[in-house]
Amino acid sequence: MTTQLRIRSALLLALAPTFTHSVQAQSGRASLNGWVAFEDVAYVDTQPRATVQLRHAPPDTGVVYTTTTDAHGFYHFNVVALGSFVLRISAPKFQDYSAEVYLPSDFAGNWAVQLKARKGAAH
């Protein structure tokens, strides 16, 4: 192998991780996990089900992701688009929750919320 060829091979090997990393860093997707707790409901009890919605902002884009919490209050959005969203969480007998969320590329985050009981609502 000539010296010039060895230098080119070494340079390509050195740059390969950089190219791979830049491609992975721009996947154009994100994920969001979370947990919903409920006021006056013990965490060891089966949790009420909540509807969790990510609506792309501005709303006229039409992108909406919806899921429900499991028996432990956990939810998961595996793959969502990037950008600004309104996160809405609702459950019967509890006050609705809403927040603005920004999801950048390759974001994997967690969002925990405690829903407050509606006045006069019995659990």
Side-chain angles (χ1 to χ4, degrees), residues 55-71:
R55 181 176 293 277
H56 204 267
D60 57 285
T61 63
V63 177
V64 179
Y65 302 94
T66 304
T67 191
T68 55
T69 56
D70 65 14

Side-chain angles (χ1 to χ4, degrees), residues 45 56 104 115:
D45 293 337
H56 204 267
L115 294 183

Side-chain angles (χ1 to χ4, degrees), residues 33-101:
N33 304 301
W35 183 64
V36 178
F38 299 87
E39 183 178 59
D40 299 330
V41 177
Y43 71 90
V44 294
D45 293 337
T46 300
Q47 301 295 301
R49 299 292 176 147
T51 300
V52 184
Q53 182 184 75
L54 277 173
R55 181 176 293 277
H56 204 267
D60 57 285
T61 63
V63 177
V64 179
Y65 302 94
T66 304
T67 191
T68 55
T69 56
D70 65 14
H72 306 287
F74 292 103
Y75 65 90
H76 177 70
F77 292 102
N78 188 33
V79 178
V80 297
L82 308 178
S84 297
F85 291 86
V86 174
L87 174 68
R88 302 193 77 141
I89 302 173
S90 60
K93 302 180 184 175
F94 292 89
Q95 295 176 22
D96 291 350
Y97 173 86
S98 181
E100 293 181 13
V101 178

